[in-house]
């Protein structure tokens, strides 16, 4: 147990960002290692707290007095936010190591690290805060650094893409702010749990629009069809380490927040059958649409971006199942998608960095040259497809079984058909995944890449670590499921 | 009593461990790696044989069962505890022994066959991973754990079919599969196998989730002990039909059979182990595993609707066995003949299980299916391994490049001939007994249509089997030019298939006793499911006579055209140009239809949608909205005159409006 541990999780990286900003010019390339060190420290704190969770009743609350009108600055680390924060932190840690090599030839590496750390704090703050006003602040803190990161270090039409990203997410955030304001108007509080108490006796008709407004904000972040259009551009043109962080860690926060806020504060809406049906339908469309779009891509990063859209469909599918098992599955998909997609984006970065191309049609026959990369790619795509023994299997198995359970209790044939279609649609994931593996790694070797090898250790270790972790968690998921479900069952 | 159960765990842990150690052993040396891999597969033989000792103990209280909590989802009405466990009963003991022993022999054969290939570490890794996953599949006590093995073997199958992933065009005669517009490189075939079986698995998921929703568990023992009765009949029937999608995909039955013939792009050892003897039987195994559960439900419910699920699987099996058999009649590739034949024989097993569900004497069909599974595993693995020797010697997978090999490879010839006779159902080899048992079950259940279908498949089987023997071993040697290459396989290669052939002969000579012993082993099922079994010698001999006649009917044309070549081969080329021949050679156009219906459209539609919908409509709309804002601002900028008077007026107006809003709207009118 460490004093102010939750505050430290947010403050330490910000503090380190300030240090790097002040002394960045002197430190040069070393600032990459500094940000790595600060993230390593934060990882240790979170791990320590999560290990301690069972002994303190599965929730650690830190509250600091702040602006009286808004309420306290409250941070909560329980099973759910703990696992999500840990995933984000692990990804950020791995990717910061990866960045050191990947960004070596880029300009102003110090500023990159400053923004990177701020971005991290924004994400983890969003996950830990339980006060909607503070949640919104962090939500914006997550947006602004990432916007600059895309705009400055990105590729292609980076300024335009960054603006598109900013406008979309900001529009979502503003709609969400309207919802948060509405919640404050009817309950007089920004605190999730106070809202839950006071909203429990209110009519569904009042809560409905508020919940929907907040959800729209999350849907933009998750890139749910038809609000997905910013994502392929942003993910494709962002600097690859940031794509690796944007995609699995950040967009999934929309799903996490939907579970946290919707189910805690507006359960009457969340359990409404018509409402969940619409969400299920949206999620199946997103799953299918993202998957089909992935088939059409030749740019590997764009393919991964569409795959992320599809995966967010899975997350929403679990959220819409309104069952303990489905929500648990949804969060497991967050973890699994985080590990697999981060590895895949990092691999696409290997191609860009070492082979100077990201077009699948220009690659081919690479398996004998880069065996570890090939294995990691295969395993990560299988993880997305939910093949055991990878952790993605549990995610998919849980969301599907939860959705099926819910469509029989009470029985709703329309929903049942939607769910079955959703299950069958997941063949698309295996399809585009293995097809991509085949186009990149199999076939006759390309003469152009005769001297290509697996990347340097700074880039290889994060990739392999993600892959191995996905396998370990798949074989032994008990810690994950028991910690998650312990909190989720309280929502029911 | 229970002390041997530990081997139920070890049987699959050993090979998995072996797989993990393979890359490490490879660092020590190639020979260490090769023998290490074989050693671990031998350990699984020891384990399963230890389990087999249960079968010879007097009275065992089946099923033996051992489990622990794997993970838990607290508070959930379904799946709140998921156990990992093993289930040991005659079915899993027999299946695991078939798997481990044949796998071991094939591993030994690999030493010779794969010598000098690139990527052997990968080969041994996936072979051991496969054995481990297969035994995990067989010994699991619940469906979820079984799915780990199930998908694991699928993954190994994918990786090993695509073993020669370089897809070299020069070596297409040896490494590719098919010809003309249906020629596929190995990596394509692997992908195809994975996607098709995966689709079957997703159907299985749907079925499993429906069962789970009502029964609350997917543990086979709990389902057997009454949990299945919580599923209402109206939900059970569709659930089971969906559920069968998994076995249909895995065991390459109609309509998901198209992947298996193309899976022959893998090394022959892989075809023998995965795509003939073991993995493709997983579907049969799962149906057999579910059979007592479903049969008990049928007994419990009065409605006859549940019979539909047995009809479904029986007809799927029956039709598959016929369709695949006819395709084998015209195939030009040696391994593909064997692949179609595998599909066809598995169809028999499926049909037998379906038929078993329709009659009180279910034990004939049930045991017939398992008996056929055993004997097919033996002779088909032998056939594949022998075919591997032939392909190794001639360097081509096309039978028309072979011919006249009898004098060069006598041992291989005799082994292959005996195994072929067993496949065709010549008395008194093991295939004869097991096939007759299936025929007997279909006759006594009163499903005459299926009986006739099965009987006509016997003719077809006999024809293509002897056609294959004729094309490969008789006639002119097509490989005159490289005759000096033609030689008998080394002992390390022929010994494994000689052992397998010996097995099929022994099982055949003692066939009647094996059959009785198997029925005795499954007696506990008969007691719990109120089945009956009356031995009917008259009917048995009648069927033996009929099936032998059918074998002869198929043998005669094969003998005339391909073995003795009494008629010139021109006739077969004339046949080749006929419509029927093309229809069969094109695999009833099923493969083509799939490509035209699913593969090409998916790619075309995604491209079209991306060009026209995603880029133009969705993205276009966004830019349209952005341009609206631009237009709006260009209109509204007209009031920005820059004149001080105008600015002041608007400023005051703004304050006025704000005050009004504050006063009346936010604070309320009162």
């Amino acid at each position: 147990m460490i004093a102010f541990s939750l505050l430290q999780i947010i403050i330490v990286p910000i503090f380190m960002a300030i240090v790097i900003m002040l002394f960045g010019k002197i430190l040069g390339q070393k600032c990459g290692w500094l940000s790595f060190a600060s993230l390593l420290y934060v990882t240790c704190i979170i791990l320590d707290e999560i290990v301690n969770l069972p002994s303190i009743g599965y929730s650690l609350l830190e509250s600091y007095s702040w602006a009286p009108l808004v309420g306290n600055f409250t941070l909560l680390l329980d099973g759910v936010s703990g696992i999500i924060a840990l995933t984000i932190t692990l990804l950020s840690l791995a990717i910061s190591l990866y960045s050191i090599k990947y960004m070596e030839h880029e300009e102003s590496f110090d500023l990159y690290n400053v923004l990177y750390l701020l971005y991290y704090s924004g994400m983890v703050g969003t996950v830990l805060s339980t006060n909607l006003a503070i949640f919104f602040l962090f939500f914006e803190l997550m947006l602004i650094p990432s916007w600059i990161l895309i705009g400055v270090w990105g590729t292609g039409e980076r300024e335009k893409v960054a603006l598109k990203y900013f406008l979309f997410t900001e529009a979502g955030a503003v709609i969400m702010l309207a919802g948060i304001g509405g919640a404050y108007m009817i309950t007089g509080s920004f605190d999730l749990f106070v809202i839950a108490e006071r909203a429990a006796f209110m009519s569904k008709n009042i809560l409905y629009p508020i919940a929907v407004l907040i959800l729209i904000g999350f849907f933009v972040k998750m890139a749910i069809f038809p609000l997905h259009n910013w994502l392929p551009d942003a993910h494709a043109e962002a600097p690859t380490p940031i794509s690796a962080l944007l995609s699995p860690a950040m967009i999934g926060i929309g799903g996490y927040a939907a579970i946290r806020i919707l189910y805690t504060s507006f359960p009457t809406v969340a359990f409404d059958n018509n409402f969940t049906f619409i969400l299920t339908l949206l999620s199946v469309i997103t799953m299918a649409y993202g998957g089909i779009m992935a088939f059409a891509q030749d740019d590997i990063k764009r393919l991964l971006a569409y795959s992320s859209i599809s995966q967010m469909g899975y997350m929403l599918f679990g959220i819409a199942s309104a069952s303990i098992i489905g929500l648990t599955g949804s969060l497991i998909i967050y973890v699994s998608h985080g590990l697999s997609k981060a590895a895949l984006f990092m691999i696409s970065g290997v191609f860009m960095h070492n082979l100077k191309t990201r077009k699948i049609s220009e690659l081919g026959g690479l398996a004998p040259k880069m065996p570890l990369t090939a294995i990691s790619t295969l395993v990560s795509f299988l993880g997305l497809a939910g093949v055991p023994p990878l952790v993605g299997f549990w995610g998919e198995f849980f969301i599907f079984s939860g959705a099926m359970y819910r469509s029989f209790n009470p029985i709703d044939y329309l929903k049942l058909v939607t769910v079955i279609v959703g299950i069958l649609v997941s063949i698309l994931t295996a399809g585009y995944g293995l097809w991509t593996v085949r186009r990149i790694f199999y076939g006759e070797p390309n003469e152009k890449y005769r001297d290509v090898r697996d990347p340097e250790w700074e880039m290889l270790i994060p990739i392999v670590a993600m892959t191995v972790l996905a396998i370990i968690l798949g074989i032994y998921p008990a810690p994950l499921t028991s910690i998650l479900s312990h909190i989720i069952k309280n929502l029911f | 009593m229970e002390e041997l159960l530990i081997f139920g765990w070890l049987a699959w842990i050993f090979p998995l461990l072996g797989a993990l150690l393979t890359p490490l052993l490879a660092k020590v040396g190639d020979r260490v790696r090769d023998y290490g891999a074989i050693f671990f597969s031998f350990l699984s033989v020891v384990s399963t044989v230890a389990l087999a000792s249960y079968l010879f103990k007097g009275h065992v209280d089946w099923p033996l069962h051992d489990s622990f909590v794997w993970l838990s989802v607290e508070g959930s009405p379904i799946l709140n505890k998921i156990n990992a466990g093993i289930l040991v009963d005659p079915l899993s003991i027999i299946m695991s022994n078939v798997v481990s022993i044949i796998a071991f022999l094939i591993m030994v054969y690999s030493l010779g066959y794969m010598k000098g290939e690139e990527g052997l570490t990968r080969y041994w890794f996936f072979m051991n991973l496969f054995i481990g996953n297969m035994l995990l599949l067989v010994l699991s006590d619940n469906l979820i754990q079984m799915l780990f093995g199930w998908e694991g073997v699928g993954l190994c199958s994918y990786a090993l079919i695509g073993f020669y992933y370089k897809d070299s065009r020069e070596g297409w005669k040896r490494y590719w599969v098919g010809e003309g517009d249906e020629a596929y490189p190995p990596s394509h075939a692997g992908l195809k196998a994975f996607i098709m079986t995966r689709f079957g698995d997703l159907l299985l998921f749907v079925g499993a989730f429906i069962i789970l929703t009502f029964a609350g568990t997917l543990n086979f023992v709990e389902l057997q002990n009454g949990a299945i009765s919580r599923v209402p009949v109206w939900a059970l029937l569709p659930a089971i039909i969906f559920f069968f999608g998994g076995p249909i995909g895995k065991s390459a039955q109609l309509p998901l059979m198209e992947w298996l013939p193309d899976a022959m792009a893998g090394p022959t050892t892989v075809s023998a182990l995965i795509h003939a003897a073991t993995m493709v039987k997983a579907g049969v195994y799962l149906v057999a595993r579910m059979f007592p559960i479903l049969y008990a439900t049928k007994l419990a419910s009065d409605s006859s609707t549940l019979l539909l699920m047995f009809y479904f699987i029986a007809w799927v099996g029956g039709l598959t066995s016929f369709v695949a058999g006819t395709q084998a009649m015209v195939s030009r590739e040696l391994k593909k003949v064997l692949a179609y034949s595998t599909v066809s024989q598995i169809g028999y097993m499926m049909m037998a299980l379906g038929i078993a569900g329709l009659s009180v004497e279910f034990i004939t069909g049930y045991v017939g299916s398992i008996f056929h599974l055993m004997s097919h595993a033996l002779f088909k693995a032998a056939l594949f391994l022998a075919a591997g020797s032939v392909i190794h010697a001639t360097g081509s997978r096309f039978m028309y490049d072979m011919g006249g090999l009898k004098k060069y490879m006598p041992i291989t010839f005799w082994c292959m001939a005996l195994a072929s006779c067993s496949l065709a159902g010549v008395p008194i080899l093991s295939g004869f007994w097991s096939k007759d048992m299936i025929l007997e079950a279909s006759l006594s259940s009163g499903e005459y249509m299926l009986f006739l279908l099965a009987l006509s498949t016997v003719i077809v089987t006999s024809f293509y089997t002897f056609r294959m023997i004729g094309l490969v071993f008789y006639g002119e040697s097509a490989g005159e030019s490289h005759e000096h290459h033609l030689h008998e396989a080394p002992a390390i290669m022929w010994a494994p298939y000689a052992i397998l052939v010996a097995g099929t002969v022994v099982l055949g000579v003692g066939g009647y006793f094996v059959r009785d012993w198997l029925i005795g082993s499954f007696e506990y099922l008969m007691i719990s499911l109120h089945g009956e079994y009356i031995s009917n010698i008259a009917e048995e001999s009648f069927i033996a006579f009929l099936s032998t006649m059918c074998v002869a009917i198929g043998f005669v044309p094969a003998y005339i055209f391909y073995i003795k070549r009494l008629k010139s081969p021109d006739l077969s080329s004339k046949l080749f140009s006929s419509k029927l021949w093309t229809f069969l050679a094109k695999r009833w156009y099923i493969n083509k239809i799939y490509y035209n219906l699913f593969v090409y459209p998916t790619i075309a539609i995604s491209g079209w949608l991306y060009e026209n919908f995603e880029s133009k409509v969705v993205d276009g709309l966004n830019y349209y909205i952005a341009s609206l804002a631009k237009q709006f601002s260009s209109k509204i900028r007209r009031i920005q005159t820059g004149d001080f008077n105008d600015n002041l007026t608007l400023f005051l107006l703004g304050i006025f409006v704000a005050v009004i809003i504050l006063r009346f709207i936010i604070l309320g009118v009162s």
Side-chain angles (χ1 to χ4, degrees):
Chain A
M1 295 294 284
I2 305 155
F4 310 117
S5 53
L6 298 187
L7 197 59
Q8 279 195 50
I9 293 171
I10 295 165
I11 294 292
V12 168
I14 293 180
F15 176 74
M16 190 56 85
I18 294 169
V19 170
I20 294 175
M21 193 148 70
L22 292 177
F23 304 106
K25 289 286 167 289
I26 311 165
L27 292 164
Q29 285 291 312
K30 288 195 197 76
C31 30
W33 290 105
L34 269 185
S35 55
F36 178 77
S38 66
L39 288 171
L40 189 64
Y41 174 70
V42 172
T43 311
C44 295
I45 295 183
I46 296 190
L47 264 178
D48 178 58
E49 295 302 345
I50 287 182
V51 171
N52 281 330
L53 269 183
S55 63
I56 54 169
Y58 285 95
S59 84
L60 173 65
L61 196 73
E62 275 180 24
S63 195
Y64 303 94
S65 57
W66 205 45
L69 188 69
V70 174
N72 281 345
F73 189 96
T74 321
L75 300 174
L76 170 74
L77 186 132
D78 60 8
V80 173
S81 64
I83 293 290
I84 301 297
L86 182 63
T87 313
I88 293 173
T89 314
L90 278 178
L91 293 180
S92 307
L93 182 72
I95 292 165
S96 81
L97 178 62
Y98 178 87
S99 303
I100 294 173
K101 191 77 197 167
Y102 186 83
M103 302 294 286
E104 61 186 351
H105 303 305
E106 300 279 341
E107 284 172 18
S108 13
F109 188 51
D110 53 338
L111 199 58
Y112 169 86
N113 275 299
V114 169
L115 292 166
Y116 186 88
L117 289 173
L118 288 178
Y119 180 38
Y120 166 77
S121 292
M123 284 195 287
V124 86
T126 315
V127 171
L128 294 180
S129 55
T130 60
N131 183 315
L132 283 177
I134 295 159
F135 173 85
F136 182 76
L137 279 183
F138 281 119
F139 204 78
E140 294 287 305
L141 181 60
M142 154 167 100
L143 170 61
I144 293 164
S146 56
W147 166 59
I148 305 174
L149 282 165
I150 296 174
V152 175
W153 287 273
T155 52
E157 293 181 297
R158 50 176 180 250
E159 283 96 355
K160 189 177 155 193
V161 165
L163 185 64
K164 189 176 180 184
Y165 162 66
F166 187 85
L167 286 178
F168 254 97
T169 324
E170 193 57 44
V174 167
I175 295 171
M176 184 181 84
L177 187 62
I180 293 175
Y184 184 72
M185 212 165 77
I186 58 166
T187 60
S189 171
F190 284 116
D191 191 280
L192 277 184
F193 301 101
V194 179
I195 295 176
E197 263 170 42
R198 295 185 189 161
F201 309 102
M202 292 185 187
S203 118
K204 224 188 243 183
N205 295 340
I206 302 175
L207 300 177
Y208 235 115
I210 294 170
V212 169
L213 284 176
I214 294 180
L215 261 189
I216 287 176
F218 299 152
F219 280 4
V220 174
K221 192 111 264 186
M222 287 171 83
I224 296 300
F225 184 90
L227 306 171
H228 65 279
N229 195 257
W230 64 272
L231 189 141
D233 284 333
H235 284 36
E237 305 306 346
T240 309
I242 302 303
S243 310
L245 210 52
L246 271 178
S247 174
M250 188 193 77
I251 62 174
I253 287 178
Y256 158 78
I259 292 177
R260 174 112 275 171
I261 294 173
L262 192 65
Y263 279 89
T264 309
S265 300
F266 308 102
T268 40
V269 180
F271 291 110
D272 184 75
N273 278 323
N274 296 325
F275 184 68
T276 54
F277 174 70
I278 292 168
L279 291 195
T280 310
L281 202 61
L282 267 181
S283 71
V284 171
I285 292 173
T286 308
M287 280 152 73
Y289 190 76
I292 288 175
M293 283 298 112
F295 274 98
Q297 307 306 320
D298 188 38
D299 176 350
I300 179 164
K301 281 180 80 177
R302 204 166 257 276
L303 185 148
L304 294 175
Y306 278 109
S307 148
S308 292
I309 295 176
S310 170
Q311 290 290 311
M312 287 303 113
Y314 285 88
M315 239 186 126
L316 184 63
F317 191 84
I319 294 168
S321 75
S323 59
I324 295 178
I325 193 116
L327 292 187
T328 310
S330 216
L331 292 165
I332 293 177
I333 284 194
Y334 179 91
V335 176
S336 133
H337 175 236
L339 297 172
S340 299
K341 195 52 73 60
L344 286 171
F345 266 116
M346 286 193 269
I347 288 164
S348 75
V350 170
F351 296 137
M352 289 169 68
H353 189 257
N354 293 358
L355 278 63
K356 311 287 178 230
T357 182
R358 50 196 252 196
K359 286 207 163 30
I360 295 173
S361 53
E362 289 177 7
L363 301 165
L366 286 174
K369 309 277 178 215
M370 12 183 24
L372 283 174
T373 315
I375 295 169
S376 305
T377 313
L378 177 63
V379 172
S380 301
F381 270 123
L382 291 175
L384 294 184
V387 174
L390 295 152
V391 65
F393 167 77
W394 293 108
E396 283 195 11
F397 197 82
F398 284 2
I399 60 166
F400 289 151
S401 54
M404 191 65 94
Y405 179 79
R406 190 50 78 189
S407 48
F408 276 107
N409 299 300
I411 181 126
D412 178 348
Y413 289 104
L414 210 54
K415 195 171 177 189
L416 185 63
V417 171
T418 319
V419 168
I420 291 176
V421 170
I423 295 176
L424 296 184
V425 151
S426 63
I427 192 69
L428 288 173
T429 317
Y432 69 71
L434 293 183
W435 192 42
T436 309
V437 170
R438 177 167 180 242
R439 285 186 294 166
I440 296 178
F441 291 105
Y442 303 157
E444 308 215 24
N446 194 331
E447 271 303 301
K448 204 165 57 175
Y449 304 122
R450 207 175 32 205
D451 304 322
V452 168
R453 266 182 294 144
D454 271 326
E456 300 80 356
W457 68 270
E458 292 101 326
M459 291 165 86
L460 192 61
I461 285 183
I463 294 172
V464 174
M466 299 291 110
T467 317
V468 172
L469 202 56
I471 297 174
I472 292 174
L473 282 176
I475 293 171
Y476 187 60
L480 204 57
T481 54
S482 63
I483 289 179
L484 286 174
S485 59
H486 198 92
I487 298 302
I488 287 175
K489 74 167 190 230
N490 298 333
L491 300 173
F492 285 77
Chain B
M1 183 75 211
E2 306 281 317
E3 67 275 14
L4 285 175
L5 268 186
I6 184 77
F7 286 106
W9 296 96
L10 291 178
W12 51 272
I13 289 174
F14 277 137
L16 289 181
L17 193 67
L20 286 182
L21 287 178
T22 303
L24 299 179
L25 291 179
K27 295 260 185 276
V28 184
D30 285 358
R31 286 183 77 80
V32 179
R33 173 196 64 194
D34 299 357
Y35 288 103
I38 290 172
F39 174 70
F40 279 100
S41 73
F42 179 69
L43 285 181
S44 70
V45 175
V46 173
S47 313
T48 55
V49 169
L51 285 181
S53 66
Y54 278 118
L55 283 183
F56 300 96
K57 282 185 182 156
H59 178 78
V60 182
D61 198 12
W62 303 114
L64 303 173
H65 179 220
D66 183 25
S67 71
F68 66 89
V69 178
W70 189 6
L71 63 148
S72 57
V73 182
E74 287 173 44
S76 174
I78 47 172
L79 290 178
N80 59 11
K81 284 229 180 329
I82 298 174
N83 285 329
I86 52 155
L87 179 61
V88 176
D89 63 3
L91 179 64
S92 62
I93 291 176
I94 289 172
M95 184 76 185
S96 61
N97 273 291
V98 168
V99 169
S100 68
I101 293 171
I102 290 181
F104 172 68
L105 289 173
I106 292 174
M107 293 289 267
V108 172
Y109 175 91
S110 303
L111 273 182
Y113 185 79
M114 299 299 286
K115 202 171 180 178
E117 297 273 2
E118 257 178 67
L120 274 183
T121 307
R122 184 161 44 97
Y123 176 80
W124 293 117
F125 172 80
F126 277 114
M127 287 297 264
N128 256 330
L129 192 68
F130 171 79
I131 300 171
N133 274 310
M134 188 69 208
L135 290 170
L136 168 65
L137 187 167
V138 171
L139 290 162
S140 290
D141 77 334
N142 66 80
L143 188 78
I144 299 172
Q145 187 191 345
M146 184 190 226
L147 279 174
F148 270 63
W150 185 271
E151 302 272 348
V153 291
L155 177 63
C156 295
S157 155
Y158 159 80
L160 287 168
I161 294 171
F163 181 73
Y164 302 114
Y165 60 79
K166 285 181 188 161
D167 298 349
S168 100
R169 277 179 194 283
E170 288 105 62
W172 83 279
K173 266 204 153 177
R174 205 176 147 191
Y175 298 126
W176 285 37
V177 67
E179 55 187 325
D181 60 346
E182 288 185 311
Y184 304 114
S187 70
H188 181 105
L191 180 61
K192 184 177 181 179
F194 191 89
I195 300 296
M196 268 189 126
T197 48
R198 176 79 184 158
F199 186 73
D201 298 348
L202 291 173
L203 294 174
L204 180 142
F205 274 24
V206 174
F209 291 141
I210 298 176
I211 296 173
L212 182 65
T213 296
F214 291 100
T217 177
L218 286 173
N219 185 304
F220 297 126
V221 182
E222 285 172 29
L223 286 175
Q224 177 83 75
N225 291 342
I228 194 79
S229 61
R230 289 199 285 268
V231 188
V233 171
W234 59 268
L236 187 63
L237 187 67
I240 293 301
I241 301 287
F242 271 116
F243 192 91
F244 282 155
I248 284 173
K250 206 61 154 186
S251 289
Q253 300 294 292
L254 279 176
L256 296 175
M257 63 175 272
E258 290 305 318
W259 66 271
L260 186 64
D262 292 329
M264 295 302 119
T268 310
T269 46
V270 171
S271 312
L273 177 61
I274 302 185
H275 306 115
T278 55
M279 185 191 85
V280 286
K281 308 277 172 57
V284 179
Y285 174 77
L286 181 56
V287 176
R289 172 61 66 215
M290 292 298 285
F291 179 84
I293 300 169
L294 300 178
Y295 195 83
T297 330
K298 183 200 102 172
L299 287 184
S301 86
D302 296 328
S303 84
S304 60
T305 45
L306 277 181
L307 282 180
L308 281 176
M309 63 192 180
F310 292 115
Y311 276 114
F312 175 77
I313 202 72
W315 275 99
V316 165
L319 287 174
T320 309
S321 71
F322 183 74
V323 171
T326 57
Q327 294 177 358
M329 286 166 67
V330 302
S331 173
R332 285 157 53 84
E333 290 159 70
L334 175 53
K335 277 171 77 181
K336 249 182 160 175
V337 174
L338 296 175
Y340 290 126
S341 153
T342 304
V343 174
S344 165
Q345 299 297 309
I346 292 173
Y348 269 134
M349 299 171 211
M350 285 288 187
M351 189 186 85
L353 285 174
I355 280 169
L358 298 173
S359 64
V360 195
E361 289 181 56
F362 70 86
I363 201 78
T364 327
Y366 188 76
V367 169
S369 173
I370 291 162
F371 191 10
H372 199 54
L373 188 152
M374 282 167 71
S375 70
H376 176 259
L378 286 175
F379 63 68
K380 191 51 73 61
L383 279 172
F384 262 111
L385 294 184
S389 290
V390 170
I391 293 172
H392 208 259
T394 58
S396 168
R397 58 196 158 85
F398 290 100
M399 288 193 290
Y400 290 87
D401 289 340
M402 299 165 185
L405 290 178
K406 191 179 163 193
K407 62 177 171 188
Y408 301 105
M409 313 179 77
I411 303 175
T412 307
F413 166 71
W414 281 109
C415 288
M416 209 155 168
L418 273 172
S420 294
C421 289
S422 187
L423 166 63
V426 172
I428 49 166
L429 291 155
S430 68
F432 165 76
W433 296 105
S434 52
K435 191 181 292 179
D436 275 13
M437 216 166 158
I438 291 172
L439 291 173
E440 188 189 325
S442 52
L443 185 64
S444 61
S445 71
E447 296 302 318
Y448 299 112
M449 290 293 287
L450 280 171
F451 176 70
L452 288 178
L453 195 62
L455 215 53
S456 53
T457 308
V458 175
I459 303 177
V460 170
T461 308
S462 164
F463 175 76
Y464 70 68
T465 311
F466 292 111
R467 169 179 176 267
M468 173 186 79
I469 291 290
L471 280 175
V472 175
F473 291 103
Y474 288 89
E476 302 268 310
S477 173
E480 294 284 349
S481 54
H482 46 86
E483 206 166 274
H484 55 283
H485 288 305
L486 296 176
H487 54 80
E488 184 55 86
I492 196 148
M493 281 166 74
W494 66 253
Y497 52 82
I499 294 174
L500 288 169
V501 169
T504 197
V505 172
V506 169
L507 268 192
V509 172
Y512 204 79
F513 303 102
V514 176
R515 172 196 158 117
D516 271 0
W517 175 74
L518 277 174
I519 289 176
S521 298
F522 285 98
E523 201 176 10
Y524 78 100
L525 274 186
M526 225 159 25
I527 296 165
S528 67
L529 296 177
H530 315 293
E532 52 187 59
Y533 173 66
I534 307 144
S535 181
N536 185 342
I537 300 289
E539 196 183 80
E540 282 165 28
S541 342
F542 171 64
I543 284 172
F545 172 73
L546 259 185
S547 80
T548 313
M549 286 315 293
C550 288
V551 172
I553 294 172
F555 176 73
V556 171
Y559 183 78
I560 294 171
F561 289 117
Y562 299 104
I563 295 183
K564 272 294 154 203
R565 315 231 172 160
L566 294 175
K567 299 275 183 211
S568 79
D570 293 346
L571 189 70
S572 74
S573 69
K574 210 178 282 171
L575 269 173
F576 191 75
S577 59
S578 81
K579 281 218 170 86
L580 178 65
W581 197 274
T582 321
F583 175 71
L584 296 181
K586 291 274 176 193
R587 304 151 75 160
W588 292 47
Y589 293 105
I590 301 172
N591 187 47
K592 199 163 193 149
I593 290 170
Y594 281 177
Y595 273 89
N596 288 331
L597 210 60
F598 299 110
V599 182
Y600 303 133
T602 306
I603 294 169
I605 287 172
S606 73
W608 186 86
L609 268 181
Y610 182 66
E611 290 284 317
N612 295 301
F613 184 70
E614 174 78 359
S615 305
K616 293 201 179 126
V617 179
V618 181
D619 209 26
L621 196 66
N622 294 327
Y623 283 102
Y624 179 67
I625 292 169
S627 75
L628 276 187
K630 218 173 188 176
Q631 284 170 19
F632 180 68
S633 68
S634 72
K635 292 228 169 72
I636 209 161
R637 67 184 290 189
R638 287 194 193 158
I639 60 171
Q640 302 284 344
T641 56
D643 187 90
F644 182 71
N645 286 339
D646 290 349
N647 283 354
L648 201 62
T649 317
L650 284 173
F651 174 67
L652 289 174
L653 196 68
I655 289 182
F656 182 70
V657 171
V659 168
I660 300 272
I661 288 172
L662 271 178
R663 174 65 188 83
F664 291 106
I665 297 176
I666 297 206
L667 300 178
V669 186
S670 67

